[in-house]
């Protein structure tokens, strides 16, 4: 399988080539030239496979340049009971009202980013060692992505991670998660500033081509195709666990921000998985909900992006959305290019003429949730079932309830565990959420972090002194 750009300006490349790149050279995103199709018979033959082997089956259709035995070894190393604290890796639990919870947050950082990152860590190390090269990952995080990347890449050969975080602005639990890592290839840098300033430093370093080339800077951001491909696996897994025979339909509800998670659902559905609906849930930052309701895509500037109690969804410019629009306009790269040009000019584009297709052809429906909705949903699910859900998952449950249909299981993706966002749980239920047993002492472990001024030159000097060569 070869990959092309959504804007048409990239010579087709293999999986391993796009793995280490960010944006395509024309500013677009890499997508498969053609999506693989999975027949009903093949799907039935996957019933009962352990998660790691299902991941091998799905990923082997995307990573066609990695020999099968090697890929199977990578998926078996990524998806173990030990890393995911669960025999199923992704457990399925019933809730009330026809809903079930697909547990994507059993990994080391208690959020669904681990599902893709653990595979990415394995495949990065593999490809770098094959090519005899190294990579220095530089990123900024306000919480979930940075820690998932660090846990996936800790101790891996040929790769170092430099993760900038805003000094004093993460929760005690999030700080402890990242800063307690003692691996020599993990560098936590706390900058005296806010997240956007940390992000600006990363952009400045990546924009300095000489520095970028000399130190082989890389990224693990949400547009990485390998992450999207790894996420496709759990839609197959969820369908296989929720059905008993071929052709049965399942709907999925997805708490969304950058459109990465639900894009993987769209890919799975396009590959032939019998998904009835993809229910997109946003919080108050409802740019995507607005698009699916009106057909107009209008990203918002940072000052119009609210800080909410489901903070990992506080995103107003969904970086993966372009891949869905590419399909929506019939994979017409020239049209995608024109749409993004008009957005740069006018701040929005209008695809309302295609609106009838959103649901009929692609199964997409959407809804938004508020802080009060989250509190009420956390309470109602707890009262009805005894299950404690996190605020992001609560956004998904709230919106999913409007789209439940008799005879169609509705699987809500659990994108984080409640212990990660305990303040909101306390507000909803009057008591905090406790972390899983193995993490009870996390906050008392020794921490390893360099604190420095929010200054490009200072961070650059630190990277020069500690980079993998
Ligand atoms: C990243 C994240 C999301 C949003 O996922 P996208 O792929 O960006 O749409 C939702 N919930 C949690 C807890 C997250 O960490």
């Amino acid at each position: 399988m070869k990959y092309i750009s959504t804007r048409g300006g990239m010579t087709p490349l293999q999986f391993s080539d796009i793995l280490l790149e960010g944006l395509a050279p024309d500013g677009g995103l890499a997508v498969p030239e053609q999506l693989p199709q999975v027949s009903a018979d093949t799907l039935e033959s996957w019933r009962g496979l352990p998660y790691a082997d299902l991941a091998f089956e799905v990923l082997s259709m995307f990573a066609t340049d990695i020999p099968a035995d090697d890929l199977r070894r990578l998926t078996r190393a990524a998806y173990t009971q030990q890393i995911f604290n669960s025999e199923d890796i992704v457990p399925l639990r019933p809730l009330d009202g026809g809903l079930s919870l697909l547990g994507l947050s059993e990994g080391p950082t208690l959020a669904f980013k681990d599902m893709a990152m653990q595979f990415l860590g394995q495949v990065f190390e593999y490809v770098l060692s094959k090519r005899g090269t190294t990579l220095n990952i530089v990123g900024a995080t306000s919480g979930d992505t940075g820690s998932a990347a660090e846990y996936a890449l800790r101790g891996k050969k040929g790769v170092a991670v430099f993760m900038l975080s805003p000094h004093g602005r993460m929760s005690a639990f999030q700080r402890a998660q990242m800063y307690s890592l003692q691996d020599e290839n993990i560098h936590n840098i706390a900058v005296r500033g806010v997240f956007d300033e940390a992000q600006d430093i990363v952009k400045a370093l990546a924009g300095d081509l000489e520095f970028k080339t000399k130190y082989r800077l890389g990224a693990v951001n949400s547009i990485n195709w390998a992450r999207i491909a790894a996420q496709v696996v759990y839609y197959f897994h969820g369908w296989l666990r929720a059905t008993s025979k071929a052709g049965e339909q399942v709907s999925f509800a997805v708490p969304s921000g950058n459109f990465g998670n639900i894009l993987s659902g769209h890919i799975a559905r396009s590959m032939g998985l019998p998904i009835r609906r993809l229910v997109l849930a946003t919080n108050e930052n409802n740019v995507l909900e607005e698009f699916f309701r009106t057909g107009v895509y209008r990203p918002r500037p940072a000052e119009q992006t609210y800080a909410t109690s489901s903070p990992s969804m506080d995103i107003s410019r969904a970086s993966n959305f372009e891949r869905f629009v590419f399909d929506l306009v019939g994979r017409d790269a020239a049209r995608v290019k024109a749409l993004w040009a008009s957005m740069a000019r006018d701040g929005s584009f209008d695809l309302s003429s295609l609106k009838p297709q959103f649901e009929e052809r692609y199964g997409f429906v959407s809804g938004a949730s508020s802080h009060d909705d989250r509190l009420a949903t956390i309470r109602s699910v707890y009262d009805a079932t005894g299950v404690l859900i996190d605020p992001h998952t609560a956004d998904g449950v709230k919106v999913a309830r409007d789209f439940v249909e008799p005879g169609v299981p509705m699987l809500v993706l659990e994108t984080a565990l409640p212990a990660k966002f305990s303040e909101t749980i306390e507000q909803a239920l009057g008591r905090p959420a406790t972390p899983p047993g193995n993490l009870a002492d996390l906050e008392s472990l020794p921490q390893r972090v360099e604190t420095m001024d929010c200054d490009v030159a200072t961070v650059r000097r630190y990277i020069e002194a500690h980079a993998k060569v």
Side-chain angles (χ1 to χ4, degrees), residues 133-246:
T133 183
T134 58
L135 199 64
N136 291 291
I137 303 285
V138 180
T141 188
S142 54
D144 293 343
T145 306
S147 57
E150 290 190 352
Y151 278 77
L153 294 167
R154 61 186 297 198
K156 293 278 179 296
K157 290 194 249 351
V159 45
V161 180
F162 297 86
M163 194 58 65
L164 279 61
S165 51
H167 180 58
R169 284 175 194 264
M170 292 193 301
S171 73
F173 186 81
Q174 284 176 316
R175 278 200 307 274
Q177 251 189 343
M178 290 179 59
Y179 302 166
S180 64
L181 291 178
Q182 302 294 334
D183 308 78
E184 57 81 27
N185 70 329
I186 302 295
H187 303 276
N188 286 303
I189 300 177
V191 292
R192 295 186 190 91
V194 297
F195 168 73
D196 287 328
E197 293 169 294
Q199 180 77 40
D200 286 343
I201 294 179
V202 174
K203 282 189 191 147
L205 294 172
D208 178 344
L209 281 187
E210 198 183 325
F211 181 75
K212 183 178 178 204
T213 311
K214 179 162 181 210
Y215 290 95
R216 288 176 314 288
L217 298 196
V220 288
N221 45 31
S222 62
I223 57 164
N224 188 296
W225 173 262
R227 284 178 63 178
I228 302 296
Q231 291 168 185
V232 170
V233 178
Y234 53 69
Y235 286 89
F236 279 88
H237 171 86
W239 185 90
L240 288 164
R241 289 297 148 98
T243 60
S244 53
K245 58 178 191 297

Side-chain angles (χ1 to χ4, degrees), residues 286-315:
N286 66 333
V287 172
L288 290 169
E289 180 271 330
E290 186 177 86
F291 173 78
F292 284 100
R293 183 164 38 84
T294 66
V296 176
Y297 183 57
R298 192 190 310 275
R300 294 173 199 156
E303 62 273 15
Q304 284 170 39
T305 304
Y306 311 109
T308 75
S309 50
S310 45
S312 303
M313 293 159 60
D314 292 348
I315 290 165

